[in-house]
Amino acid sequence: MSEPNEPVIETAEGAELPSDALVVAENVHKSFGRLEVLKGIDLQVRRGEVMCIIGPSGSGKSTFLRCVNHLEKLTAGRLWVNGELMGYRQKRGKLYELRETEVAAQRSDIGMVFQRFNLFPHLSVLGNIIEAPMQVKRVPRAEATAKATELLERVGLPDKASAYPDQLSGGQQQRVAIARALAMEPSLMLFDEPTSALDPELVGEVLDVMRDLAENGMTMMVVTHEMGFAREVGDSLVFMDDGAVVESGEPAEVLGNPQHERTRAFLSKVL
């Protein structure tokens, strides 16, 4: 979209971003018609941090994650990733939407793994992983294939390159989805309840891959119901309810000594 005559969002000038912050959300609002889903989210994710986001269904967790890579457009507020204002350019205190090609370029630095694996059913595992690097980044096939082979080794599926998604278990498909996201060499990984669609015995194999990513310094935002993972792997924990951040802090502190009554009520049902 070329710059419109009227701004999409009016905003303040001159925001200064913390040097160690990879993601900065400032007063993020999102509405669908009259339904206000996000009601002013403010948070920061440091480089190398694993932020886990918990809360009841309908609290806005997934919507917020989708705003981070501009799959959902903001109603108000601003969101930066890696120092870039996501989805907009700022001019004289007002925000104008970027063209879709410009947004796609921004998204190429952000990997996202969904509840449902969203693999291309007509492509092999290898084909799924090499598609985006070849099409978006113009990586030569041989180079993309070599990288995909390394990633399949990393996620524990070195023998599945020629398999098709319907030949894999749910856990295997999700690990392929993670490998596919990593193939773009993102600086940020978003996980939207990546284990919620899996049989219980398959959850561990996906969490193990995510744990390995965290140990190797990947910046991650994880919407999850896996409280053990949040406590063990998360550097920070955010509890959302009704479109707002109710409580945040170190996972052990929030889970073990919640300060807000709403947090205590939620955790009493899930721990």
Side-chain angles (χ1 to χ4, degrees):
M1 181 187 299
S2 60
E3 183 170 296
N5 293 326
E6 295 297 326
V8 177
I9 301 172
E10 294 197 19
T11 185
E13 289 277 16
E16 295 185 6
L17 304 182
S19 59
D20 65 342
L22 185 67
V23 180
V24 177
E26 179 186 273
N27 195 32
V28 169
H29 288 253
K30 175 63 183 178
S31 296
F32 297 97
R34 295 182 178 180
L35 178 62
E36 190 177 20
V37 177
L38 299 177
K39 303 176 180 179
I41 303 295
D42 293 291
L43 57 77
Q44 297 177 10
V45 183
R46 303 184 314 276
R47 297 178 190 277
E49 177 180 351
V50 177
M51 174 179 282
C52 293
I53 304 173
I54 64 172
S57 297
S59 60
K61 308 182 300 297
S62 295
T63 298
F64 176 66
L65 214 63
R66 291 171 64 85
C67 287
V68 172
N69 65 358
H70 206 62
L71 286 175
E72 297 290 353
K73 298 178 182 180
L74 307 187
T75 305
R78 291 187 288 183
L79 233 165
W80 292 265
V81 176
N82 223 4
E84 289 191 20
L85 193 59
M86 283 299 299
Y88 304 94
R89 69 169 56 85
Q90 180 169 312
K91 187 176 181 180
R92 291 191 295 274
K94 298 175 182 179
L95 300 185
Y96 299 85
E97 283 191 57
L98 296 178
R99 298 180 184 89
E100 186 56 37
T101 54
E102 295 173 302
V103 176
Q106 290 184 323
R107 286 197 193 114
S108 69
D109 194 41
I110 304 171
M112 188 161 187
V113 178
F114 300 87
Q115 297 178 40
R116 297 290 176 178
F117 324 118
N118 291 1
L119 298 177
F120 300 117
H122 63 289
L123 294 179
S124 68
V125 165
L126 181 65
N128 267 277
I129 297 172
I130 67 176
E131 179 76 4
M134 290 174 56
Q135 298 298 324
V136 178
K137 291 192 169 182
R138 304 300 180 190
V139 176
R141 176 177 288 272
E143 182 180 336
T145 299
K147 178 68 173 179
T149 301
E150 292 177 10
L151 289 170
L152 285 172
E153 184 75 39
R154 185 173 183 181
V155 301
L157 297 170
D159 58 339
K160 297 297 184 182
S162 61
Y164 283 79
D166 64 1
Q167 298 173 312
L168 304 178
S169 70
Q172 290 172 332
Q173 290 187 61
Q174 194 63 294
R175 284 186 279 160
V176 172
I178 294 172
R180 181 176 63 177
L182 292 173
M184 292 294 284
E185 299 184 335
S187 61
L188 171 68
M189 285 286 287
L190 308 177
F191 292 88
D192 186 9
E193 299 189 16
T195 61
S196 65
L198 300 179
D199 292 333
E201 65 268 22
L202 303 178
V203 168
E205 62 191 47
V206 174
L207 294 181
D208 284 344
V209 172
M210 295 170 64
R211 189 176 290 108
D212 176 71
L213 292 179
E215 290 173 354
N216 282 277
M218 175 62 73
T219 309
M220 299 160 60
M221 298 178 71
V222 185
V223 171
T224 185
H225 293 295
E226 300 292 339
M227 300 301 163
F229 176 86
R231 185 190 297 271
E232 177 191 351
V233 180
D235 297 299
S236 60
L237 183 66
V238 171
F239 172 66
M240 287 182 61
D241 187 41
D242 195 27
V245 173
V246 175
E247 189 166 344
S248 62
E250 294 186 3
E253 183 66 21
V254 175
L255 294 174
N257 187 30
Q259 299 301 300
H260 196 283
E261 175 57 36
R262 183 66 188 93
T263 315
R264 289 194 291 270
F266 174 77
L267 292 176
S268 70
K269 297 176 181 177
V270 299
L271 290 179

